[in-house]
Amino acid sequence: MDLSETTEHHGDGSRTPRPGNLTPSPPRSRAGSGNGKRTLDEKGRLWKEDEGEVARLMRTVDFAARKHTCQRRKDLDQTPYINHPIAVSNFLSSTGITDVRVLQAAILHDTVEDTPTTIEEIAEHFGPDVARIVQECTDNPNLSGQGAKAEQVRSAPHKSKEAQQVKLADKLHNLESIRRAPPVGWGVRRVQAYFIWAKQVTDICGPSHPALAKRLQRLYETAYTEIDGKYIPCHPEVCGPLLEEEKSRIDKRLHHLKKGEKPCPMPIFF
């Protein structure tokens, strides 16, 4: 590749990498193996009950990364989508969840909903327990966006404890991401509607993991974000006054924007 297309040259002879339009590589095979080979146990399964927990967890991360290869988040910087499920799993592990099945389900929770992956495939690779939790965390594809949100509220009390834990961590990462910098194109009403709906879900799931429920409640009571140069409470019904500490949590690129201006994304290369 011609370096002049991807670098900015300076008078002192130095060069700064410049973001480029990269063509993502196609997803790997659905078997999850780069060379197409499948390792089966004596019962013909891809997963093994006696596999070490660390190996199982890393295999799950690898599988999810392959599935989400070409996807990016809707945030300002279009961060790789895989950052989200890894963060969800990390929220759980860092707050005392040691059940590897739950951590695996957190990493895989969007694969069926957002990629060409089936529950049967999850079960084949990672076993029925992980597949069950992932299925509980997967929205019905036949419902509209608002319909799926209403269904999450309706079905939340009937989810397993493990699925409720994943839901809490999923919402926490999404909410903290919105607080830092709302997705491109989101206005005040959409931000606040998302927080109000998320609280309905997490209030139901809260008893499944009090440590995350406490973090979420603190978030609802303190979270502000910045839109069109104005600080707005993310959850208008329960949010308290804006604190100076809260301002530091908001992406600094939003601080001096005037209405209609758009902040610059971070460069892809560093």
Side-chain angles (χ1 to χ4, degrees):
M1 181 181 293
D2 184 354
L3 289 177
S4 64
E5 296 178 356
T6 58
T7 57
E8 180 179 353
H9 297 264
H10 304 288
D12 60 1
S14 63
R15 296 183 300 189
T16 301
R18 166 187 305 149
N21 294 322
L22 301 181
T23 301
S25 57
R28 298 293 186 96
S29 69
R30 292 181 61 170
S33 173
N35 57 17
K37 297 179 180 179
R38 299 158 69 92
T39 302
L40 307 179
D41 69 1
E42 67 281 359
K43 295 182 180 180
R45 301 171 303 193
L46 289 173
W47 65 285
K48 297 182 179 182
E49 293 176 344
D50 61 349
E51 182 180 27
E53 289 187 344
V54 173
R56 196 184 320 159
L57 195 59
M58 293 308 299
R59 184 164 59 84
T60 307
V61 173
D62 179 73
F63 180 93
R66 294 177 189 274
K67 292 296 185 175
H68 292 294
T69 295
C70 299
Q71 297 177 334
R72 292 186 175 274
R73 296 274 276 174
K74 295 179 180 179
D75 58 6
L76 173 62
D77 297 322
Q78 295 187 332
T79 53
Y81 196 90
I82 190 60
N83 291 14
H84 169 62
I86 290 175
V88 171
S89 188
N90 183 53
F91 278 155
L92 291 166
S93 66
S94 64
T95 52
I97 300 300
T98 58
D99 188 335
V100 172
R101 298 171 305 166
V102 177
L103 302 180
Q104 288 179 276
I107 292 167
L108 298 167
H109 78 273
D110 277 335
T111 53
V112 174
E113 190 171 317
D114 293 338
T115 77
T117 306
T118 65
I119 288 296
E120 292 75 20
E121 188 178 2
I122 298 295
E124 184 181 26
H125 282 271
F126 305 108
D129 291 340
V130 174
R132 171 185 56 80
I133 302 170
V134 172
Q135 186 167 34
E136 288 187 84
C137 295
T138 301
D139 286 342
N140 184 340
N142 298 317
L143 296 176
S144 65
Q146 290 303 315
K149 283 182 167 59
E151 178 61 18
Q152 282 200 38
V153 177
R154 187 201 66 78
S155 64
H158 310 294
K159 301 291 186 184
S160 67
K161 180 179 180 180
E162 296 88 352
Q164 289 185 347
Q165 290 171 342
V166 174
K167 284 286 185 184
L168 290 173
D170 178 34
K171 294 291 186 289
L172 179 59
H173 185 252
N174 283 337
L175 294 169
E176 289 196 341
S177 298
I178 293 170
R179 160 207 245 173
R180 185 185 68 83
V184 175
W186 280 37
V188 175
R189 291 181 62 182
R190 189 166 183 182
V191 168
Q192 293 183 335
Y194 189 92
F195 266 72
I196 291 170
W197 163 72
K199 189 174 188 300
Q200 293 174 346
V201 177
T202 60
D203 281 354
I204 295 170
C205 298
S208 69
H209 193 27
L212 281 185
K214 184 177 180 180
R215 285 186 61 174
L216 281 157
Q217 184 60 30
R218 175 68 177 167
L219 185 69
Y220 295 129
E221 294 175 355
T222 61
Y224 277 72
T225 193
E226 195 167 354
I227 297 177
D228 293 334
K230 296 180 180 179
Y231 293 103
I232 63 115
C234 293
H235 196 304
E237 298 173 6
V238 298
C239 196
L242 175 63
L243 305 175
E244 286 300 316
E245 178 185 359
E246 183 65 14
K247 292 181 181 180
S248 67
R249 301 181 189 276
I250 300 171
D251 194 313
K252 291 180 173 57
R253 289 173 290 177
L254 306 180
H255 286 347
H256 304 294
L257 290 179
K258 297 179 181 179
K259 190 170 183 177
E261 291 182 338
K262 296 181 180 180
C264 294
M266 296 288 286
I268 295 175
F269 301 104
F270 300 92

